[in-house]
Amino acid sequence: MTAIPDPSVYPGADYYDITMRQGSWRFHRDLGPATVWGYWAANPHDPRKAIGMGYLGPTLSVTKDRPTVVKYRNELPTTHLFQFVIDRIRNGDGQLAPTAPAPYKSKPPFPSHINVWNVVHQHGGFTAPQSDGMPLQSFSPDGFHAESYTTLDPSRVKPNEAISGYTNHERSCMLWYHDHGMGMTSVNVYAGLAGLYLVRDPADERLGLPRGEFEVPLILQDRSFHRDGSLAYTMADREGEDTPVVNGKAYPFLAVEPRRYRLRILNASNERFWRLRFDVPRDVLPQPTLPFWLIGTDGGFRAPLQMLNFLISPAERYDLIVDFSQMPMGTNITLTNYHAPVHYPGMPGMGPVISEIMQFRVTKPLSGGADRTTPPKKLQLPTAAPIVPEPHTRRREWVTYQHKLFGTMTFNAVPFMEPSQDFIKAGSTEIWEYINPNHDAHPIHVHLVNFQVLNRQPIDAAAYQADYEKWLDGGRKPEDRPVLANYLTGPPIPPDPDEALSDKDTFKSYPETVTRIIIQEFGLPGTIASIPGSGAELPATYVHHCHILEHEDDDLMRPWTIVGHGDHSGGDHSGAAHGGGHGHGH
């Protein structure tokens, strides 16, 4: 289901009017209706027929370099669908409410009278900070604004609305949009607040890729249900949910033709990593799995790579060509998940195991004569150029710090609410080193930029953690900070084949490892559709965070700031130039 733009509102841009609403949705024919949240897009051709499903949101299909302007309206209830989680956070539940490491003081993630607030983040976009949808830009259904709420074109919005502008200056790729409400992103997304955002490049039509009904987006999630079919949220007490849901349906199937398909997969789960393969009946192929080709990741195309399986963490996207042409009519191919505990690589018994996700059933006759798409090994794709570090490229360390098991996690033992301490020169290249002494992998998302994974190196995690704790207890003197090089236990490991030479916005920070990413240029978006104040100005503050949404809500998130040369000011969370955009509730 694709939203329809209105090009008449802002000349030079496509405009959408999107409302967050509560509705009803059946996840399976054997389940009763569930109360869910979703995005609905106004239909410029028929005001009475909004475009949406109730759960999730319509796809926004946009053209590269033609900007998009979206008005988001919050019409959700003021009591949360999972109010018990909000109450537990508010009451200081040790496993859910962020606890600040010393010497910092804990702060509540949302005000005492707010049970629902929301903001929309365009995940992976090259977006000015005031349109980025960062958590402290949240606004409630009754018009209360978080401290950094901001909107474009304020004369056109009511208190429960905000306007964002997107440059679409990305390579053609599949982004997505989702809720980023401060302290409650996990339950807001779980309720249904997510959707796809496809950046199209007209030049791609010459590549010979499967199109139309043969290009299939798949939004993978895990959910649990009460007996009556309503949504159950159990991740306040365990890891992961027990039922696979694809595009809003539990255990679905897709009838396919014996031909090549392009499957565009998003892991929109809160916590679950999936290791995916296509299982075929034993008598169909010499091996039990159907090979496929990876042709793109988060930030667009890459050199085609033939694969048998892949590991996808929350928020990552994989663009695949799967060839069903050699499958006999009537064959069922099962998309299977295996060897991927919820918190990867995990501990046995910590979360429900999901193996079968969905089926592809070869039951439709080949239409239109033959399959005229280009065979994957002959594809000539516009691939990502490798980013080669210079000898003196600036390095920046981010430590995933957790004082005790099941406790709050932070970057560098600093709470999210503290002002930005990281100032990056506009236009510069940097290597960010993510040091993970934990036993879990973390999918890390950096707003604004694409990057490439440079390498990984194993570390003596126990020794590093012990010395890091001593450093914290000793007053965090910069000269005494543990030196990463002293804890490395092996040589650098190249990127995984599926992430090598790929533009990424989310990567896997593996346990007991330092993962290095390289960001080629911290550039800033310009003005959109002549809207005053729509471009970025320095200083510009963004965030990065773990995309296990429960970790993000529990403080594994920090701001960082792009500054002009010689400028180290502006360390707020406002996402607006010069510390603007503040303003407590209306």
Side-chain angles (χ1 to χ4, degrees):
M1 189 168 290
T2 303
I4 299 169
D6 184 345
S8 68
V9 180
Y10 291 98
D14 286 327
Y15 174 76
Y16 297 89
D17 184 302
I18 291 180
T19 302
M20 305 169 230
R21 288 211 308 260
Q22 182 164 288
S24 180
W25 179 252
R26 288 181 85 127
F27 287 88
H28 192 276
R29 66 184 180 198
D30 297 337
L31 292 172
T35 301
V36 294
W37 292 357
Y39 297 108
W40 292 82
N43 186 339
H45 304 319
D46 187 344
R48 294 162 302 172
K49 291 187 177 170
I51 299 165
M53 305 192 305
Y55 180 74
L56 300 177
T59 297
L60 272 61
S61 183
V62 308
T63 303
K64 175 178 163 61
D65 295 329
R66 179 175 169 83
T68 300
V69 178
V70 187
K71 177 188 279 189
Y72 295 108
R73 183 179 301 103
N74 193 343
E75 292 184 356
L76 291 166
T78 52
T79 302
H80 208 285
L81 192 56
F82 304 106
Q83 184 64 34
F84 73 97
V85 179
I86 303 299
D87 293 340
R88 282 177 61 176
I89 294 170
R90 181 170 286 129
N91 294 333
D93 183 306
Q95 286 206 24
L96 302 181
T99 304
Y104 297 102
K105 297 281 183 280
S106 299
K107 297 174 185 173
F110 36 79
S112 59
H113 67 289
I114 291 293
N115 298 313
V116 176
W117 65 3
N118 308 84
V119 67
V120 180
H121 170 53
Q122 182 211 35
H123 181 115
F126 183 62
T127 304
Q130 61 271 32
S131 292
D132 190 57
M134 288 176 277
L136 288 172
Q137 295 171 336
S138 299
F139 55 102
S140 74
D142 49 7
F144 181 86
H145 295 169
E147 66 183 57
S148 302
Y149 166 87
T150 181
T151 180
L152 303 186
D153 210 354
S155 65
R156 290 200 191 199
V157 297
K158 297 174 182 164
N160 68 328
E161 298 173 343
I163 293 176
S164 296
Y166 306 125
T167 63
N168 301 325
H169 283 331
E170 298 81 33
R171 300 166 64 215
S172 66
C173 59
M174 186 170 84
L175 309 180
W176 60 304
Y177 63 100
H178 62 78
D179 189 86
H180 219 318
M182 181 66 212
M184 56 181 82
T185 296
S186 55
V187 281
N188 290 349
V189 172
Y190 192 86
L193 293 177
L196 296 178
Y197 192 104
L198 290 171
V199 181
R200 302 280 193 189
D201 185 342
D204 293 350
E205 294 183 12
R206 300 193 292 271
L207 297 173
L209 296 168
R211 293 163 58 188
E213 65 182 295
F214 310 117
E215 179 186 18
V216 183
L218 299 173
I219 303 175
L220 269 56
Q221 297 174 306
D222 55 333
R223 297 290 183 261
S224 292
F225 301 95
H226 297 293
R227 287 183 176 272
D228 64 358
S230 60
L231 270 174
Y233 178 86
T234 70
M235 285 180 287
D237 300 301
R238 72 173 186 191
E239 294 175 0
E241 304 291 1
D242 58 19
T243 304
V245 170
V246 183
N247 296 353
K249 291 295 182 181
Y251 294 106
F253 72 89
L254 179 68
V256 297
E257 299 181 12
R259 58 174 296 145
R260 285 185 282 271
Y261 279 73
R262 183 180 182 187
L263 304 181
R264 308 190 71 169
I265 297 177
L266 159 68
N267 181 357
S269 300
N270 281 33
E271 300 188 342
R272 185 179 290 274
F273 286 61
W274 307 85
R275 187 183 293 281
L276 301 177
R277 69 183 184 212
F278 296 88
D279 284 348
V280 295
R282 291 183 180 277
D283 55 347
V284 172
L285 286 176
Q287 74 273 3
T289 59
L290 180 64
F292 56 89
W293 291 80
L294 175 69
I295 62 165
T297 57
D298 309 343
F301 292 121
R302 50 151 294 146
L305 175 69
Q306 191 171 39
M307 305 183 75
L308 291 171
N309 62 75
F310 62 96
L311 179 72
I312 182 170
S313 70
E316 287 187 298
R317 283 90 68 207
Y318 277 63
D319 194 349
L320 312 180
I321 301 288
V322 182
D323 190 349
F324 299 115
S325 65
Q326 302 308 306
M327 301 289 104
M329 289 300 278
T331 303
N332 290 346
I333 297 101
T334 304
L335 181 61
T336 302
N337 175 49
Y338 72 105
H339 297 335
V342 183
H343 283 194
Y344 186 83
M347 293 184 281
M350 287 302 287
V353 174
I354 294 175
S355 53
E356 294 187 4
I357 299 170
M358 68 172 289
Q359 278 191 345
F360 299 88
R361 299 178 180 173
V362 187
T363 54
K364 296 171 81 172
L366 188 63
S367 60
D371 181 353
R372 293 182 182 84
T373 60
T374 305
K377 64 174 128 192
K378 294 185 178 175
L379 279 171
Q380 300 290 316
L381 300 177
T383 56
I387 307 172
V388 181
E390 301 287 334
H392 302 294
T393 302
R394 169 80 160 84
R395 290 175 179 248
R396 198 176 293 274
E397 289 183 1
W398 303 98
V399 180
T400 304
Y401 173 70
Q402 185 178 35
H403 178 62
K404 64 176 192 289
L405 197 61
F406 306 121
T408 291
M409 278 184 268
T410 55
F411 283 127
N412 295 348
V414 182
F416 170 66
M417 292 287 203
E418 293 300 313
S420 175
Q421 299 172 358
D422 287 88
F423 302 97
I424 297 144
K425 288 177 180 164
S428 63
T429 296
E430 291 201 357
I431 293 170
W432 288 11
E433 301 181 297
Y434 287 84
I435 301 163
N436 180 4
N438 305 159
H439 63 279
D440 286 339
H442 299 282
I444 305 294
H445 171 49
V446 186
H447 286 213
L448 177 72
V449 294
N450 269 187
F451 51 78
Q452 290 176 14
V453 177
L454 205 54
N455 58 44
R456 294 182 174 88
Q457 237 171 322
I459 59 170
D460 183 340
Y464 186 90
Q465 176 87 9
D467 290 348
Y468 196 76
E469 295 266 6
K470 278 185 206 155
W471 176 71
L472 295 176
D473 294 341
R476 305 181 182 227
K477 296 181 185 125
E479 64 273 17
D480 296 338
R481 181 177 171 132
V483 177
L484 175 62
N486 297 339
Y487 301 87
L488 301 172
T489 59
I493 301 161
D496 295 337
D498 53 342
E499 64 187 0
L501 296 181
S502 296
D503 283 341
K504 302 280 293 167
D505 57 50
T506 307
F507 73 95
K508 306 169 188 82
S509 174
Y510 289 129
E512 300 169 19
T513 301
V514 54
T515 303
R516 298 182 181 94
I517 64 170
I518 183 164
I519 302 151
Q520 181 146 40
E521 183 186 351
F522 285 89
L524 288 171
T527 300
I528 287 174
S530 303
I531 302 174
S534 58
E537 292 181 47
L538 296 173
T541 296
Y542 291 88
V543 300
H544 66 144
H545 57 87
C546 179
H547 225 286
I548 291 175
L549 298 181
E550 284 69 16
H551 289 181
E552 173 191 325
D553 283 344
D554 198 21
D555 236 24
L556 193 46
M557 175 163 59
R558 280 293 289 152
W560 48 271
T561 303
I562 304 175
V563 294
H565 293 261
D567 179 8
H568 272 206
S569 64
D572 61 19
H573 292 66
S574 72
H578 312 306
H582 291 264
H584 290 268
H586 284 220

